[in-house]
Structures are given as C-alpha cells and as structure tokens.
Amino acid sequence: MPWRILVLLIGVVINIPVFADDDLISRVDVDMFLVSPPEVEYRHSGAMFAKVTSENRWLMVKIEFTVDRKSLPEPKIRKSGSGFRFLQGGFVDDLKLQVRVLLDTGWKVDGKTIFGMYTGETELYTVRRDGKRHVVTMFVPGKFIDRYSVLATGGIRRAAKVDFKGEVIFSAAGRQLARAYCSSSGRKNFEEYCKMVPENMIFTGGVLPRSQTPWALLGADDFDLEKRQ
C-alpha cells in the first residue's frame, strides 16, 4: 500500500574523541538530533499523523563509523565432527554498540549538576569489511526524556541538544573495538558526570534500537541488519 513518511529534525554535529583497541573500527562520528516522530499517511485508508509537540521530541543518536577493508578470501569448507563448517572471512559478525546517554536535568546539588541516564544497545548480524562508512541510529523517546526533565513547578522542562552527553562502545566476540564520546570533555569527565546520576534515575533500555522505533521502515536498506532484542 502506498505511503509517505515525513521526518522533522533539529540537529548538531558533535566532535568525539575515539579510543580504539585496533584498527577494525575507526573514524567514529556521532550526530545528536532532537527529532519529531515520522508522520505516516496512507492514501487509501485515511491519514495517520503523529502528534508533534515540544514535549514528545525524541533524541536520535546517529553513529557513523568506518570498518577496515579486507578482501573476501575464497570460502572453504572443512569437516567438523560429524558435519561441516563453512569458513569465510571479510565480515564482522555480532558487532555490538552499547550506548549511555546523560541528560542534564536542570537540577543541582552543592553546585553540581544532576543527570539522568539512559542506556541501550544494538547488535548487528554481520558487517562487511568494505572500508566504507556504516551508520547506526538509536533513539531516546520523548516521553523518556520528559521523565527526567521536570521543572520545580512540576511542569515539563524542554530539553535542548546541549543538555545531552553520551558514550558509545563497540565490541565483538567479547573484545572492545572502539569507544567514543559525544562530549568533547572525554572519558574522564563523562565518568565524573556519571557519579551525579541518582540510582533511581538510570533508565536501563531507554536508548532504543532503530528497529523498535517509528523510524524502523525508513531507508531500511541503508543500514546493517539489527538482531532482534
């Protein structure tokens, strides 16, 4: 059925220091956007529009990275016990991205800012080592942001892009491949900010994989395939 999707974005590019254990993952760049949910219109079944307000803007964490180039070797088949194994290089299987996002709540204790934290991860089935740029996007829903961004009067404090800091860790086969920060202050200061997160303001699973959001069907072929959570 024909359909049309419109997306509204307000964004900023943030420079990030990258700490890599090897050269498999490199040139990590992160953009963070405050976005309105897609508007979907079905031509033959009436219009369906997402309600867009300042309170329900989502945070998009867009992660771009380069995977080193490795030519595809000739596949081999070897005996393994009573069966066979198909051996083929040139791919990274089960690449995992773990994300932590900090939100400046606007509250302070002893002059220090209180943060809320959202965590989440995306795991990719397989990524080709083609030397090209790859993109992963993850999202914090607007209602999750509102949960930790409240005014003293009890109203919702409208979060801005400058209120967010983040960390992305790449790993595969139990080995860390790269670590990047959305704050120019880097790892040391990020960990200091984490000390100002109350234990009941950690939203585990609050950073959603693209496949669990309204953006799941947009440009699906432009992204590596996610494993289902």
Side-chain angles (χ1 to χ4, degrees):
M1 184 176 295
W3 46 271
R4 182 180 67 200
I5 298 179
L6 304 176
V7 184
L8 305 177
L9 306 106
I10 303 173
V12 61
V13 178
I14 302 180
N15 297 320
I16 320 161
V18 178
F19 307 90
D21 289 349
D22 55 30
D23 295 328
L24 184 62
I25 303 295
S26 62
R27 293 178 56 209
V28 181
D29 294 315
V30 173
D31 298 350
M32 298 185 75
F33 302 93
L34 286 169
V35 301
S36 295
E39 297 179 353
V40 184
E41 179 182 319
Y42 293 90
R43 293 182 181 176
H44 304 299
S45 61
M48 295 178 57
F49 294 99
K51 182 180 179 182
V52 179
T53 69
S54 62
E55 285 77 25
N56 79 333
R57 293 183 307 163
W58 293 41
L59 179 74
M60 174 196 289
V61 183
K62 181 182 179 183
I63 306 160
E64 295 187 70
F65 59 97
T66 299
V67 183
D68 76 333
R69 181 182 297 276
K70 184 174 183 180
S71 59
L72 295 177
E74 182 179 350
K76 298 179 181 179
I77 298 179
R78 293 181 180 174
K79 289 186 176 181
S80 176
S82 59
F84 299 90
R85 287 179 60 85
F86 180 77
L87 304 178
Q88 182 183 29
F91 293 86
V92 182
D93 293 333
D94 304 325
L95 180 64
K96 182 181 292 186
L97 288 81
Q98 296 170 295
V99 174
R100 292 192 294 174
V101 172
L102 296 178
L103 167 65
D104 182 339
T105 64
W107 294 80
K108 293 182 182 292
V109 173
D110 296 331
K112 293 185 178 181
T113 300
I114 298 297
F115 291 91
M117 178 186 289
Y118 309 89
T119 69
E121 65 179 44
T122 291
E123 188 169 2
L124 307 176
Y125 274 107
T126 189
V127 179
R128 184 170 177 179
R129 297 177 64 175
D130 52 10
K132 297 180 180 179
R133 300 291 279 171
H134 294 255
V135 177
V136 170
T137 54
M138 300 180 68
F139 298 82
V140 180
K143 289 182 172 58
F144 290 1
I145 296 173
D146 293 347
R147 180 65 179 82
Y148 294 151
S149 189
V150 182
L151 297 170
T153 58
I156 299 299
R157 170 181 173 269
R158 180 173 178 173
K161 55 183 175 286
V162 296
D163 293 325
F164 297 96
K165 305 178 187 301
E167 173 190 66
V168 181
I169 297 176
F170 293 78
S171 63
R175 182 166 59 100
Q176 183 174 309
L177 302 175
R179 182 191 299 259
Y181 290 88
C182 302
S183 169
S184 59
S185 54
R187 181 176 183 178
K188 182 178 179 180
N189 284 346
F190 185 85
E191 294 298 339
E192 289 297 317
Y193 298 142
C194 288
K195 295 177 182 178
M196 298 305 296
V197 177
E199 61 182 15
N200 64 338
M201 293 184 72
I202 301 175
F203 204 132
T204 303
V207 186
L208 303 180
R210 181 185 183 87
S211 59
Q212 296 181 20
T213 73
W215 286 266
L217 298 179
L218 279 110
D221 289 339
D222 297 331
F223 300 88
D224 294 296
L225 186 61
E226 296 177 6
K227 282 191 172 184
R228 178 170 295 181
Q229 299 289 314

mmCIF file of all heavy atoms in Angstrom, residues 17-63:
data_model
loop_
_atom_site.group_PDB
_atom_site.id
_atom_site.type_symbol
_atom_site.label_atom_id
_atom_site.label_comp_id
_atom_site.label_asym_id
_atom_site.label_seq_id
_atom_site.Cartn_x
_atom_site.Cartn_y
_atom_site.Cartn_z
ATOM 1 N N PRO A 17 36.247 12.284 20.715
ATOM 2 C CA PRO A 17 37.499 11.548 20.781
ATOM 3 C C PRO A 17 37.230 10.049 20.683
ATOM 4 O O PRO A 17 36.237 9.568 21.224
ATOM 5 C CB PRO A 17 38.046 11.908 22.168
ATOM 6 C CG PRO A 17 36.839 12.289 22.958
ATOM 7 C CD PRO A 17 35.855 12.869 21.996
ATOM 8 N N VAL A 18 38.056 9.327 19.969
ATOM 9 C CA VAL A 18 37.869 7.895 19.784
ATOM 10 C C VAL A 18 39.065 7.155 20.364
ATOM 11 O O VAL A 18 40.214 7.510 20.108
ATOM 12 C CB VAL A 18 37.717 7.551 18.279
ATOM 13 C CG1 VAL A 18 37.582 6.057 18.086
ATOM 14 C CG2 VAL A 18 36.513 8.266 17.693
ATOM 15 N N PHE A 19 38.783 6.107 21.127
ATOM 16 C CA PHE A 19 39.835 5.297 21.714
ATOM 17 C C PHE A 19 39.646 3.878 21.192
ATOM 18 O O PHE A 19 38.733 3.170 21.608
ATOM 19 C CB PHE A 19 39.738 5.322 23.242
ATOM 20 C CG PHE A 19 39.712 6.718 23.801
ATOM 21 C CD1 PHE A 19 38.515 7.381 23.998
ATOM 22 C CD2 PHE A 19 40.889 7.374 24.105
ATOM 23 C CE1 PHE A 19 38.487 8.679 24.506
ATOM 24 C CE2 PHE A 19 40.872 8.674 24.619
ATOM 25 C CZ PHE A 19 39.670 9.321 24.821
ATOM 26 N N ALA A 20 40.473 3.447 20.249
ATOM 27 C CA ALA A 20 40.295 2.148 19.610
ATOM 28 C C ALA A 20 41.372 1.166 20.054
ATOM 29 O O ALA A 20 42.536 1.521 20.197
ATOM 30 C CB ALA A 20 40.336 2.300 18.088
ATOM 31 N N ASP A 21 40.943 -0.098 20.256
ATOM 32 C CA ASP A 21 41.890 -1.141 20.615
ATOM 33 C C ASP A 21 42.624 -1.690 19.398
ATOM 34 O O ASP A 21 43.657 -2.326 19.512
ATOM 35 C CB ASP A 21 41.171 -2.281 21.339
ATOM 36 C CG ASP A 21 40.725 -1.871 22.738
ATOM 37 O OD1 ASP A 21 41.156 -0.794 23.187
ATOM 38 O OD2 ASP A 21 39.961 -2.617 23.356
ATOM 39 N N ASP A 22 42.084 -1.516 18.223
ATOM 40 C CA ASP A 22 42.761 -1.883 16.980
ATOM 41 C C ASP A 22 42.158 -1.023 15.878
ATOM 42 O O ASP A 22 41.425 -0.087 16.146
ATOM 43 C CB ASP A 22 42.637 -3.385 16.688
ATOM 44 C CG ASP A 22 41.196 -3.840 16.675
ATOM 45 O OD1 ASP A 22 40.309 -3.023 16.331
ATOM 46 O OD2 ASP A 22 40.938 -5.006 17.004
ATOM 47 N N ASP A 23 42.470 -1.345 14.623
ATOM 48 C CA ASP A 23 42.028 -0.513 13.503
ATOM 49 C C ASP A 23 40.775 -1.052 12.814
ATOM 50 O O ASP A 23 40.411 -0.569 11.743
ATOM 51 C CB ASP A 23 43.156 -0.393 12.472
ATOM 52 C CG ASP A 23 44.361 0.352 13.040
ATOM 53 O OD1 ASP A 23 44.143 1.238 13.886
ATOM 54 O OD2 ASP A 23 45.500 0.037 12.649
ATOM 55 N N LEU A 24 40.121 -2.042 13.409
ATOM 56 C CA LEU A 24 38.944 -2.614 12.781
ATOM 57 C C LEU A 24 37.829 -1.572 12.646
ATOM 58 O O LEU A 24 37.193 -1.439 11.599
ATOM 59 C CB LEU A 24 38.437 -3.809 13.593
ATOM 60 C CG LEU A 24 37.257 -4.576 12.993
ATOM 61 C CD1 LEU A 24 37.633 -5.175 11.640
ATOM 62 C CD2 LEU A 24 36.794 -5.670 13.953
ATOM 63 N N ILE A 25 37.593 -0.794 13.708
ATOM 64 C CA ILE A 25 36.610 0.285 13.702
ATOM 65 C C ILE A 25 37.353 1.611 13.843
ATOM 66 O O ILE A 25 38.168 1.773 14.756
ATOM 67 C CB ILE A 25 35.609 0.142 14.860
ATOM 68 C CG1 ILE A 25 34.895 -1.203 14.799
ATOM 69 C CG2 ILE A 25 34.614 1.291 14.843
ATOM 70 C CD1 ILE A 25 34.015 -1.393 13.588
ATOM 71 N N SER A 26 37.081 2.558 12.961
ATOM 72 C CA SER A 26 37.787 3.846 13.023
ATOM 73 C C SER A 26 36.855 4.968 12.567
ATOM 74 O O SER A 26 35.729 4.727 12.126
ATOM 75 C CB SER A 26 39.041 3.807 12.143
ATOM 76 O OG SER A 26 38.693 3.597 10.776
ATOM 77 N N ARG A 27 37.342 6.209 12.694
ATOM 78 C CA ARG A 27 36.631 7.405 12.232
ATOM 79 C C ARG A 27 35.186 7.419 12.721
ATOM 80 O O ARG A 27 34.246 7.561 11.944
ATOM 81 C CB ARG A 27 36.667 7.486 10.713
ATOM 82 C CG ARG A 27 38.070 7.725 10.117
ATOM 83 C CD ARG A 27 38.024 7.740 8.613
ATOM 84 N NE ARG A 27 37.061 8.734 8.128
ATOM 85 C CZ ARG A 27 36.390 8.635 6.981
ATOM 86 N NH1 ARG A 27 36.564 7.587 6.202
ATOM 87 N NH2 ARG A 27 35.551 9.579 6.605
ATOM 88 N N VAL A 28 35.014 7.270 14.027
ATOM 89 C CA VAL A 28 33.671 7.281 14.601
ATOM 90 C C VAL A 28 33.196 8.726 14.741
ATOM 91 O O VAL A 28 33.864 9.557 15.340
ATOM 92 C CB VAL A 28 33.650 6.584 15.978
ATOM 93 C CG1 VAL A 28 32.230 6.593 16.543
ATOM 94 C CG2 VAL A 28 34.168 5.151 15.861
ATOM 95 N N ASP A 29 32.032 9.036 14.179
ATOM 96 C CA ASP A 29 31.412 10.352 14.303
ATOM 97 C C ASP A 29 29.997 10.158 14.837
ATOM 98 O O ASP A 29 29.299 9.224 14.440
ATOM 99 C CB ASP A 29 31.336 11.071 12.951
ATOM 100 C CG ASP A 29 32.713 11.403 12.407
ATOM 101 O OD1 ASP A 29 33.551 11.892 13.181
ATOM 102 O OD2 ASP A 29 32.943 11.156 11.208
ATOM 103 N N VAL A 30 29.574 11.034 15.713
ATOM 104 C CA VAL A 30 28.227 10.959 16.263
ATOM 105 C C VAL A 30 27.514 12.290 16.066
ATOM 106 O O VAL A 30 28.054 13.344 16.398
ATOM 107 C CB VAL A 30 28.258 10.591 17.761
ATOM 108 C CG1 VAL A 30 26.856 10.682 18.343
ATOM 109 C CG2 VAL A 30 28.825 9.195 17.961
ATOM 110 N N ASP A 31 26.319 12.243 15.507
ATOM 111 C CA ASP A 31 25.427 13.397 15.443
ATOM 112 C C ASP A 31 24.285 13.140 16.417
ATOM 113 O O ASP A 31 23.803 12.011 16.531
ATOM 114 C CB ASP A 31 24.839 13.587 14.038
ATOM 115 C CG ASP A 31 25.897 13.849 12.989
ATOM 116 O OD1 ASP A 31 27.053 14.062 13.372
ATOM 117 O OD2 ASP A 31 25.550 13.836 11.798
ATOM 118 N N MET A 32 23.862 14.167 17.128
ATOM 119 C CA MET A 32 22.707 14.032 18.007
ATOM 120 C C MET A 32 21.642 15.019 17.549
ATOM 121 O O MET A 32 21.930 16.204 17.362
ATOM 122 C CB MET A 32 23.104 14.280 19.465
ATOM 123 C CG MET A 32 24.124 13.283 19.974
ATOM 124 S SD MET A 32 24.502 13.483 21.737
ATOM 125 C CE MET A 32 23.026 12.798 22.469
ATOM 126 N N PHE A 33 20.437 14.505 17.338
ATOM 127 C CA PHE A 33 19.335 15.329 16.846
ATOM 128 C C PHE A 33 18.153 15.235 17.807
ATOM 129 O O PHE A 33 17.893 14.180 18.370
ATOM 130 C CB PHE A 33 18.835 14.842 15.477
ATOM 131 C CG PHE A 33 19.870 14.821 14.400
ATOM 132 C CD1 PHE A 33 20.612 13.671 14.142
ATOM 133 C CD2 PHE A 33 20.094 15.936 13.606
ATOM 134 C CE1 PHE A 33 21.548 13.640 13.132
ATOM 135 C CE2 PHE A 33 21.029 15.907 12.582
ATOM 136 C CZ PHE A 33 21.763 14.761 12.352
ATOM 137 N N LEU A 34 17.438 16.329 17.968
ATOM 138 C CA LEU A 34 16.110 16.274 18.560
ATOM 139 C C LEU A 34 15.136 16.206 17.396
ATOM 140 O O LEU A 34 15.109 17.085 16.533
ATOM 141 C CB LEU A 34 15.855 17.508 19.429
ATOM 142 C CG LEU A 34 16.604 17.499 20.772
ATOM 143 C CD1 LEU A 34 16.526 18.855 21.442
ATOM 144 C CD2 LEU A 34 16.059 16.411 21.678
ATOM 145 N N VAL A 35 14.354 15.146 17.341
ATOM 146 C CA VAL A 35 13.539 14.867 16.159
ATOM 147 C C VAL A 35 12.077 14.667 16.535
ATOM 148 O O VAL A 35 11.760 14.226 17.636
ATOM 149 C CB VAL A 35 14.048 13.616 15.409
ATOM 150 C CG1 VAL A 35 15.489 13.798 14.971
ATOM 151 C CG2 VAL A 35 13.913 12.371 16.275
ATOM 152 N N SER A 36 11.212 15.000 15.608
ATOM 153 C CA SER A 36 9.796 14.697 15.760
ATOM 154 C C SER A 36 9.521 13.349 15.107
ATOM 155 O O SER A 36 10.119 13.021 14.084
ATOM 156 C CB SER A 36 8.945 15.778 15.095
ATOM 157 O OG SER A 36 9.105 17.014 15.756
ATOM 158 N N PRO A 37 8.613 12.558 15.677
ATOM 159 C CA PRO A 37 8.317 11.246 15.093
ATOM 160 C C PRO A 37 7.855 11.364 13.651
ATOM 161 O O PRO A 37 7.259 12.378 13.261
ATOM 162 C CB PRO A 37 7.189 10.706 15.995
ATOM 163 C CG PRO A 37 7.327 11.461 17.271
ATOM 164 C CD PRO A 37 7.819 12.824 16.891
ATOM 165 N N PRO A 38 8.107 10.358 12.822
ATOM 166 C CA PRO A 38 7.666 10.401 11.422
ATOM 167 C C PRO A 38 6.154 10.544 11.329
ATOM 168 O O PRO A 38 5.419 10.034 12.170
ATOM 169 C CB PRO A 38 8.122 9.046 10.862
ATOM 170 C CG PRO A 38 9.170 8.564 11.789
ATOM 171 C CD PRO A 38 8.821 9.110 13.137
ATOM 172 N N GLU A 39 5.724 11.237 10.301
ATOM 173 C CA GLU A 39 4.301 11.336 10.004
ATOM 174 C C GLU A 39 4.005 10.374 8.862
ATOM 175 O O GLU A 39 4.655 10.407 7.819
ATOM 176 C CB GLU A 39 3.920 12.763 9.601
ATOM 177 C CG GLU A 39 4.135 13.786 10.717
ATOM 178 C CD GLU A 39 3.763 15.191 10.283
ATOM 179 O OE1 GLU A 39 3.478 15.363 9.089
ATOM 180 O OE2 GLU A 39 3.761 16.093 11.142
ATOM 181 N N VAL A 40 3.053 9.493 9.052
ATOM 182 C CA VAL A 40 2.731 8.467 8.062
ATOM 183 C C VAL A 40 1.345 8.726 7.493
ATOM 184 O O VAL A 40 0.389 8.925 8.236
ATOM 185 C CB VAL A 40 2.773 7.064 8.695
ATOM 186 C CG1 VAL A 40 2.522 5.998 7.635
ATOM 187 C CG2 VAL A 40 4.115 6.832 9.385
ATOM 188 N N GLU A 41 1.257 8.722 6.178
ATOM 189 C CA GLU A 41 -0.043 8.952 5.525
ATOM 190 C C GLU A 41 -0.325 7.812 4.562
ATOM 191 O O GLU A 41 0.456 7.548 3.639
ATOM 192 C CB GLU A 41 -0.035 10.280 4.767
ATOM 193 C CG GLU A 41 -1.355 10.561 4.043
ATOM 194 C CD GLU A 41 -1.294 11.852 3.257
ATOM 195 O OE1 GLU A 41 -0.727 12.832 3.766
ATOM 196 O OE2 GLU A 41 -1.793 11.848 2.108
ATOM 197 N N TYR A 42 -1.411 7.086 4.784
ATOM 198 C CA TYR A 42 -1.837 6.029 3.882
ATOM 199 C C TYR A 42 -2.895 6.591 2.930
ATOM 200 O O TYR A 42 -3.906 7.144 3.373
ATOM 201 C CB TYR A 42 -2.422 4.846 4.665
ATOM 202 C CG TYR A 42 -1.404 4.134 5.493
ATOM 203 C CD1 TYR A 42 -1.147 4.522 6.805
ATOM 204 C CD2 TYR A 42 -0.670 3.073 4.950
ATOM 205 C CE1 TYR A 42 -0.189 3.861 7.567
ATOM 206 C CE2 TYR A 42 0.285 2.416 5.703
ATOM 207 C CZ TYR A 42 0.517 2.812 7.010
ATOM 208 O OH TYR A 42 1.465 2.166 7.760
ATOM 209 N N ARG A 43 -2.681 6.444 1.663
ATOM 210 C CA ARG A 43 -3.540 7.111 0.680
ATOM 211 C C ARG A 43 -4.964 6.553 0.649
ATOM 212 O O ARG A 43 -5.899 7.263 0.334
ATOM 213 C CB ARG A 43 -2.915 6.992 -0.709
ATOM 214 C CG ARG A 43 -1.607 7.756 -0.857
ATOM 215 C CD ARG A 43 -1.067 7.639 -2.270
ATOM 216 N NE ARG A 43 0.190 8.341 -2.416
ATOM 217 C CZ ARG A 43 0.918 8.344 -3.534
ATOM 218 N NH1 ARG A 43 0.483 7.678 -4.602
ATOM 219 N NH2 ARG A 43 2.056 9.000 -3.592
ATOM 220 N N HIS A 44 -5.120 5.267 0.949
ATOM 221 C CA HIS A 44 -6.422 4.642 0.744
ATOM 222 C C HIS A 44 -7.125 4.276 2.048
ATOM 223 O O HIS A 44 -8.188 3.675 2.010
ATOM 224 C CB HIS A 44 -6.268 3.387 -0.120
ATOM 225 C CG HIS A 44 -5.612 3.650 -1.439
ATOM 226 N ND1 HIS A 44 -6.156 4.503 -2.389
ATOM 227 C CD2 HIS A 44 -4.442 3.207 -1.959
ATOM 228 C CE1 HIS A 44 -5.360 4.559 -3.432
ATOM 229 N NE2 HIS A 44 -4.310 3.791 -3.208
ATOM 230 N N SER A 45 -6.555 4.607 3.157
ATOM 231 C CA SER A 45 -7.192 4.227 4.420
ATOM 232 C C SER A 45 -7.258 5.394 5.399
ATOM 233 O O SER A 45 -7.307 5.207 6.598
ATOM 234 C CB SER A 45 -6.433 3.061 5.063
ATOM 235 O OG SER A 45 -5.102 3.437 5.338
ATOM 236 N N GLY A 46 -7.222 6.598 4.867
ATOM 237 C CA GLY A 46 -7.272 7.764 5.733
ATOM 238 C C GLY A 46 -5.881 8.140 6.209
ATOM 239 O O GLY A 46 -4.932 7.371 6.113
ATOM 240 N N ALA A 47 -5.766 9.346 6.731
ATOM 241 C CA ALA A 47 -4.452 9.850 7.146
ATOM 242 C C ALA A 47 -4.161 9.466 8.588
ATOM 243 O O ALA A 47 -5.049 9.441 9.433
ATOM 244 C CB ALA A 47 -4.405 11.369 6.994
ATOM 245 N N MET A 48 -2.904 9.146 8.864
ATOM 246 C CA MET A 48 -2.442 8.878 10.215
ATOM 247 C C MET A 48 -1.242 9.771 10.477
ATOM 248 O O MET A 48 -0.220 9.654 9.809
ATOM 249 C CB MET A 48 -2.041 7.405 10.378
ATOM 250 C CG MET A 48 -3.186 6.430 10.221
ATOM 251 S SD MET A 48 -2.630 4.716 10.356
ATOM 252 C CE MET A 48 -1.873 4.745 11.971
ATOM 253 N N PHE A 49 -1.356 10.688 11.426
ATOM 254 C CA PHE A 49 -0.279 11.616 11.712
ATOM 255 C C PHE A 49 0.148 11.484 13.161
ATOM 256 O O PHE A 49 -0.687 11.382 14.063
ATOM 257 C CB PHE A 49 -0.717 13.067 11.448
ATOM 258 C CG PHE A 49 -0.994 13.353 10.004
ATOM 259 C CD1 PHE A 49 -2.294 13.358 9.522
ATOM 260 C CD2 PHE A 49 0.046 13.591 9.122
ATOM 261 C CE1 PHE A 49 -2.549 13.612 8.188
ATOM 262 C CE2 PHE A 49 -0.208 13.854 7.789
ATOM 263 C CZ PHE A 49 -1.506 13.860 7.315
ATOM 264 N N ALA A 50 1.471 11.489 13.402
ATOM 265 C CA ALA A 50 1.975 11.505 14.764
ATOM 266 C C ALA A 50 1.749 12.888 15.363
ATOM 267 O O ALA A 50 1.877 13.904 14.689
ATOM 268 C CB ALA A 50 3.465 11.174 14.784
ATOM 269 N N LYS A 51 1.373 12.919 16.630
ATOM 270 C CA LYS A 51 1.205 14.189 17.317
ATOM 271 C C LYS A 51 2.576 14.775 17.616
ATOM 272 O O LYS A 51 3.403 14.133 18.260
ATOM 273 C CB LYS A 51 0.423 13.989 18.620
ATOM 274 C CG LYS A 51 0.172 15.292 19.384
ATOM 275 C CD LYS A 51 -0.601 15.012 20.657
ATOM 276 C CE LYS A 51 -0.832 16.286 21.430
ATOM 277 N NZ LYS A 51 -1.546 16.038 22.708
ATOM 278 N N VAL A 52 2.848 15.979 17.147
ATOM 279 C CA VAL A 52 4.158 16.600 17.304
ATOM 280 C C VAL A 52 4.036 17.802 18.237
ATOM 281 O O VAL A 52 3.334 18.755 17.937
ATOM 282 C CB VAL A 52 4.742 17.047 15.948
ATOM 283 C CG1 VAL A 52 6.089 17.714 16.143
ATOM 284 C CG2 VAL A 52 4.877 15.855 15.014
ATOM 285 N N THR A 53 4.707 17.750 19.381
ATOM 286 C CA THR A 53 4.753 18.869 20.311
ATOM 287 C C THR A 53 6.173 19.015 20.820
ATOM 288 O O THR A 53 7.028 18.164 20.551
ATOM 289 C CB THR A 53 3.831 18.643 21.522
ATOM 290 O OG1 THR A 53 4.379 17.587 22.330
ATOM 291 C CG2 THR A 53 2.428 18.259 21.095
ATOM 292 N N SER A 54 6.445 20.076 21.548
ATOM 293 C CA SER A 54 7.794 20.270 22.082
ATOM 294 C C SER A 54 8.134 19.210 23.107
ATOM 295 O O SER A 54 9.301 18.956 23.389
ATOM 296 C CB SER A 54 7.908 21.662 22.718
ATOM 297 O OG SER A 54 7.008 21.787 23.805
ATOM 298 N N GLU A 55 7.107 18.557 23.686
ATOM 299 C CA GLU A 55 7.367 17.582 24.737
ATOM 300 C C GLU A 55 7.682 16.192 24.205
ATOM 301 O O GLU A 55 8.259 15.381 24.914
ATOM 302 C CB GLU A 55 6.160 17.489 25.683
ATOM 303 C CG GLU A 55 6.015 18.668 26.635
ATOM 304 C CD GLU A 55 5.440 19.895 25.955
ATOM 305 O OE1 GLU A 55 4.742 19.717 24.947
ATOM 306 O OE2 GLU A 55 5.706 21.016 26.412
ATOM 307 N N ASN A 56 7.259 15.867 22.987
ATOM 308 C CA ASN A 56 7.471 14.493 22.538
ATOM 309 C C ASN A 56 8.579 14.363 21.499
ATOM 310 O O ASN A 56 8.648 13.380 20.773
ATOM 311 C CB ASN A 56 6.159 13.894 21.997
ATOM 312 C CG ASN A 56 5.830 14.344 20.587
ATOM 313 O OD1 ASN A 56 6.232 15.410 20.153
ATOM 314 N ND2 ASN A 56 5.092 13.521 19.870
ATOM 315 N N ARG A 57 9.477 15.340 21.428
ATOM 316 C CA ARG A 57 10.629 15.200 20.535
ATOM 317 C C ARG A 57 11.541 14.099 21.056
ATOM 318 O O ARG A 57 11.834 14.014 22.243
ATOM 319 C CB ARG A 57 11.392 16.521 20.446
ATOM 320 C CG ARG A 57 10.616 17.624 19.748
ATOM 321 C CD ARG A 57 11.455 18.868 19.632
ATOM 322 N NE ARG A 57 11.983 19.271 20.927
ATOM 323 C CZ ARG A 57 12.989 20.120 21.093
ATOM 324 N NH1 ARG A 57 13.575 20.652 20.042
ATOM 325 N NH2 ARG A 57 13.404 20.450 22.303
ATOM 326 N N TRP A 58 11.990 13.258 20.162
ATOM 327 C CA TRP A 58 12.882 12.155 20.516
ATOM 328 C C TRP A 58 14.336 12.605 20.320
ATOM 329 O O TRP A 58 14.614 13.514 19.533
ATOM 330 C CB TRP A 58 12.622 10.947 19.623
ATOM 331 C CG TRP A 58 11.297 10.283 19.811
ATOM 332 C CD1 TRP A 58 10.080 10.881 20.006
ATOM 333 C CD2 TRP A 58 11.048 8.877 19.786
ATOM 334 N NE1 TRP A 58 9.090 9.937 20.103
ATOM 335 C CE2 TRP A 58 9.649 8.696 19.971
ATOM 336 C CE3 TRP A 58 11.851 7.757 19.614
ATOM 337 C CZ2 TRP A 58 9.062 7.436 19.997
ATOM 338 C CZ3 TRP A 58 11.269 6.500 19.638
ATOM 339 C CH2 TRP A 58 9.891 6.345 19.836
ATOM 340 N N LEU A 59 15.250 11.947 21.001
ATOM 341 C CA LEU A 59 16.675 12.168 20.762
ATOM 342 C C LEU A 59 17.181 11.066 19.847
ATOM 343 O O LEU A 59 17.057 9.871 20.159
ATOM 344 C CB LEU A 59 17.468 12.147 22.072
ATOM 345 C CG LEU A 59 18.974 12.352 21.883
ATOM 346 C CD1 LEU A 59 19.277 13.806 21.544
ATOM 347 C CD2 LEU A 59 19.759 11.907 23.115
ATOM 348 N N MET A 60 17.720 11.460 18.692
ATOM 349 C CA MET A 60 18.353 10.500 17.789
ATOM 350 C C MET A 60 19.863 10.540 18.003
ATOM 351 O O MET A 60 20.477 11.609 17.962
ATOM 352 C CB MET A 60 18.050 10.835 16.320
ATOM 353 C CG MET A 60 18.796 9.942 15.317
ATOM 354 S SD MET A 60 18.798 10.608 13.622
ATOM 355 C CE MET A 60 17.095 10.364 13.159
ATOM 356 N N VAL A 61 20.449 9.386 18.227
ATOM 357 C CA VAL A 61 21.904 9.246 18.302
ATOM 358 C C VAL A 61 22.346 8.560 17.014
ATOM 359 O O VAL A 61 22.075 7.377 16.809
ATOM 360 C CB VAL A 61 22.342 8.425 19.531
ATOM 361 C CG1 VAL A 61 23.870 8.360 19.608
ATOM 362 C CG2 VAL A 61 21.759 9.011 20.816
ATOM 363 N N LYS A 62 22.978 9.329 16.148
ATOM 364 C CA LYS A 62 23.421 8.807 14.853
ATOM 365 C C LYS A 62 24.916 8.529 14.915
ATOM 366 O O LYS A 62 25.718 9.436 15.140
ATOM 367 C CB LYS A 62 23.127 9.806 13.735
ATOM 368 C CG LYS A 62 23.541 9.338 12.347
ATOM 369 C CD LYS A 62 23.248 10.414 11.312
ATOM 370 C CE LYS A 62 23.687 9.983 9.915
ATOM 371 N NZ LYS A 62 23.473 11.059 8.927
ATOM 372 N N ILE A 63 25.284 7.280 14.714
ATOM 373 C CA ILE A 63 26.677 6.836 14.860
ATOM 374 C C ILE A 63 27.189 6.401 13.496
ATOM 375 O O ILE A 63 26.658 5.465 12.890
ATOM 376 C CB ILE A 63 26.776 5.666 15.855
ATOM 377 C CG1 ILE A 63 26.115 6.037 17.182
ATOM 378 C CG2 ILE A 63 28.224 5.255 16.067
ATOM 379 C CD1 ILE A 63 25.733 4.852 18.023
#
